[in-house]
Amino acid sequence: MRLSRYFLPVLKETPAEAQIVSHRLMLRAGMIKQASAGIYSWLPMGYKVLKNIENIVHEEQVRAGHIPMLMPTLQSADLWKESGRYDAYGPEMLRIEDRHGRDMLYGPTNEELITDIFRSHVGSYKDLPLTLYHIQWKFRDEIRPRFGVMRGREFLMKDGYNFDLTKEDALHAYNRHLVSYLRTYERMGLQAIPMRADSGPIGGDDTHEFLVLADTGESEVFYDAEITDLKFGDRAIDYDDVAQCQAVLEEFTSRYARTDETHDEAEFAKVPEARRRTARGIEVGQIFYFGTKYSDAMGAKVADADGNRVPVHMGSHGIGVSRLLGAIIEASHDDNGIIWPEGVTPFHCGIVNLKQGDDAADAACDALYASLTALGLDPLYDDRNERAGGKFATMDLIGLPWRITVGPRGLKNGVVELTSRRTGESEELPPEQAIAKVAAIYGKAIA
Ligand code: P5A
């Protein structure tokens, strides 16, 4: 993309309404615009990152054997009256009446809708196990929407639902989700720690929240410092292997890590003092096992091997897709702006032309742009007639991990400059070597 043809409405001033750094940077970098309280338009660059995050979530869900689908945002209140949650959900639920006087609502979550789909189409244990998921907008009429996309009213969630014959099978689904979430967050450059939590209006006893440590997080958390040394990495996992998933769950959840809802001082005191940590965290996901809560209430049963009709065991699993943008920025920025992890960056690298209109510089930038694009990379070429300082400031603000700087002086010596946004380190290289290096970083092969 050429910046001169893009829509990147960066702001010079720091918006007064934004209290935390991720919200400020998303506004300043022209990623979002508030439409009304807790509701945002996703401007092109914000939308691009949102899609990148969505893609990672999809890839890891499919890898774990889960099946994508799409349910609507608006739901009939009838199903919620069946489950008993229509009244229980309270004022956080946005209730709407259609022209025929029917009660509708903008879904805050989808346990009821998916259970209805399941009971309409599945009748035998032979069709289990089954995990369906979608990535869809939700609405919760939060009393205090704040921090931009972090606590929105309308927000994008990946929500998945497992259906299993036995509790044992459903607990495997729980473990499988925990493992796939570890991998998902790491691919976004995040460390998200599973912590014992409270299930709230979703229900059930078994639940973990995934928290990214950040001073601006809304949750208070208590954990054993050893936990931050754990990395999932690129280990191979067979998601059907019950023992393997169980082992990973135990590895990542055996140390003390809880949110304030489940914190237990006596248990915490058993952690050696030097390793006890109290901090704040951003909840980027939560997994639940709630057994037959919804299948009992809504009659979602299957015939077991003996022909008896039994309610299915269920769980649900959520990732805060739009909240993740805020969480990633909270975890990865400096005074000059965002620092995107390579896994989610909106553009793979920036190209800065120090002297727009100079024949050699223009030609070198065009050639770089063409070569990178041909490799399947997506560079952002700042081809505006602006001072170098302004171009650098924009690149730093929007946070592309790599920048190639091209100027007449370097070109005389046959070099361009490749700079890491994270370390600030630069090296002078012939253009083809800069291309090779960027290609290698993103795993693109050069023919
Ligand atoms: C699990 C999937 C559920 O709703 N039902 C379906 C279960 N879980 S949850 O924890 O309530 O939400 C899942 C994740 O969604 C994000 N989230 C939000 N993001 C932005 N703004 C909000 N107001 C908001 N509320 C929840 C969180 O990341 C949460 O973990």
Side-chain angles (χ1 to χ4, degrees):
M1 178 57 66
R2 285 169 184 271
L3 191 46
S4 63
R5 297 182 195 167
Y6 199 46
F7 181 64
L8 185 73
V10 298
L11 305 180
K12 292 242 156 50
E13 305 298 319
T14 299
E17 76 267 27
Q19 297 164 30
I20 61 171
V21 68
S22 57
H23 189 193
R24 277 199 293 275
L25 289 174
M26 285 182 80
L27 292 169
R28 282 192 53 215
M31 295 176 68
I32 52 169
K33 181 178 187 320
Q34 183 174 304
S36 61
I39 304 179
Y40 290 87
S41 296
W42 294 80
L43 306 181
M45 204 180 70
Y47 179 63
K48 229 161 178 277
V49 181
L50 189 69
K51 284 286 155 192
N52 291 345
I53 291 174
E54 246 188 87
N55 284 342
I56 292 176
V57 172
H58 269 305
E59 281 175 21
E60 293 306 326
Q61 285 302 301
V62 169
R63 195 197 300 276
H66 307 157
I67 305 170
M69 61 178 296
L70 187 61
M71 289 176 268
T73 52
L74 293 187
Q75 304 181 20
S76 160
D78 293 346
L79 292 174
W80 290 72
K81 288 174 184 164
E82 259 188 76
S83 74
R85 282 208 294 181
Y86 191 59
D87 294 325
Y89 221 95
E92 261 191 27
M93 183 188 276
L94 181 65
R95 295 151 207 262
I96 305 158
E97 197 181 286
D98 73 9
R99 67 196 296 169
H100 306 292
R102 291 190 203 106
D103 290 331
M104 308 285 292
L105 56 98
Y106 193 134
T109 176
N110 284 46
E111 280 79 5
E112 283 76 0
L113 204 52
I114 197 83
T115 305
D116 180 53
I117 291 169
F118 180 87
R119 72 179 171 184
S120 306
H121 296 291
V122 183
S124 164
Y125 77 97
K126 289 183 189 147
D127 297 324
L128 306 183
L130 179 65
T131 297
L132 300 167
Y133 79 93
H134 71 163
I135 298 179
Q136 178 62 293
W137 294 94
K138 303 287 181 288
F139 197 95
R140 293 184 185 173
D141 205 350
E142 302 277 351
I143 189 160
R144 209 173 302 114
R146 57 179 185 160
F147 302 162
V149 300
M150 205 78 98
R151 180 163 296 279
R153 293 200 297 163
E154 187 186 50
F155 61 97
L156 193 60
M157 190 200 287
K158 170 263 158 181
D159 42 325
Y161 306 85
N162 69 286
F163 300 91
D164 288 278
L165 183 62
T166 63
K167 174 170 182 179
E168 201 185 1
D169 291 348
L171 288 178
H172 171 58
Y174 185 90
N175 300 349
R176 195 176 63 229
H177 277 88
L178 186 132
V179 177
S180 73
Y181 279 22
L182 290 171
R183 219 187 134 100
T184 303
Y185 297 120
E186 277 195 19
R187 278 189 61 187
M188 299 172 190
L190 282 178
Q191 180 170 42
I193 303 171
M195 300 199 180
R196 282 260 295 276
D198 181 63
S199 68
I202 306 292
D205 299 325
D206 290 284
T207 183
H208 281 91
E209 282 182 5
F210 286 78
L211 286 116
V212 172
L213 299 176
D215 294 341
T216 48
E218 292 188 290
S219 316
E220 188 171 28
V221 297
F222 303 85
Y223 62 96
D224 178 341
E226 268 190 3
I227 222 164
T228 54
D229 297 334
L230 297 175
K231 294 273 176 307
F232 185 76
D234 55 3
R235 51 179 111 170
I237 279 277
D238 174 356
Y239 282 106
D240 290 331
D241 187 327
V242 171
Q244 218 184 4
C245 291
Q246 175 74 31
V248 175
L249 174 119
E250 278 166 17
E251 178 186 346
F252 281 84
T253 63
S254 58
R255 292 174 184 77
Y256 191 95
R258 299 193 189 183
T259 64
D260 52 0
E261 299 155 338
T262 56
H263 177 58
D264 178 334
E265 271 299 333
E267 283 294 312
F268 195 40
K270 294 179 190 162
V271 178
E273 194 173 356
R275 299 205 318 245
R276 263 179 253 157
R277 298 281 185 283
T278 304
R280 301 200 70 81
I282 302 166
E283 179 204 329
V284 291
Q286 189 165 5
I287 56 176
F288 302 82
Y289 164 71
F290 41 69
T292 58
K293 172 176 168 172
Y294 298 92
S295 46
D296 275 334
M298 298 180 64
K301 293 184 177 169
V302 293
D304 67 11
D306 302 322
N308 301 318
R309 288 185 56 77
V310 294
V312 286
H313 286 260
M314 293 174 61
S316 70
H317 319 276
I319 293 182
V321 173
S322 47
R323 175 178 288 182
L324 272 165
L325 276 94
I328 292 168
I329 296 172
E330 289 295 327
S332 187
H333 67 269
D334 64 14
D335 289 346
N336 298 324
I338 302 166
I339 306 173
W340 290 115
E342 272 110 7
V344 301
T345 185
F347 296 96
H348 294 107
C349 66
I351 301 171
V352 169
N353 187 343
L354 291 177
K355 198 159 187 205
Q356 208 67 44
D358 175 90
D359 285 347
D362 291 0
C365 287
D366 286 344
L368 272 170
Y369 185 84
S371 302
L372 290 163
T373 309
L375 286 167
L377 293 166
D378 192 5
L380 180 68
Y381 171 22
D382 190 344
D383 59 344
R384 297 170 303 163
N385 247 325
E386 268 230 18
R387 287 180 307 106
K391 290 189 176 187
F392 288 145
T394 301
M395 283 292 171
D396 282 352
L397 173 64
I398 68 173
L400 310 184
W402 297 93
R403 187 186 78 208
I404 302 175
T405 310
V406 180
R409 207 174 313 151
L411 287 174
K412 276 198 189 111
N413 301 321
V415 294
V416 296
E417 192 184 54
L418 180 66
T419 307
S420 157
R421 173 69 182 86
R422 190 168 294 282
T423 65
E425 282 164 22
S426 292
E427 54 180 329
E428 295 198 324
L429 299 165
E432 37 316 334
Q433 279 183 32
I435 292 167
K437 204 154 176 187
V438 174
I441 287 162
Y442 291 104
K444 302 283 181 191
I446 293 188

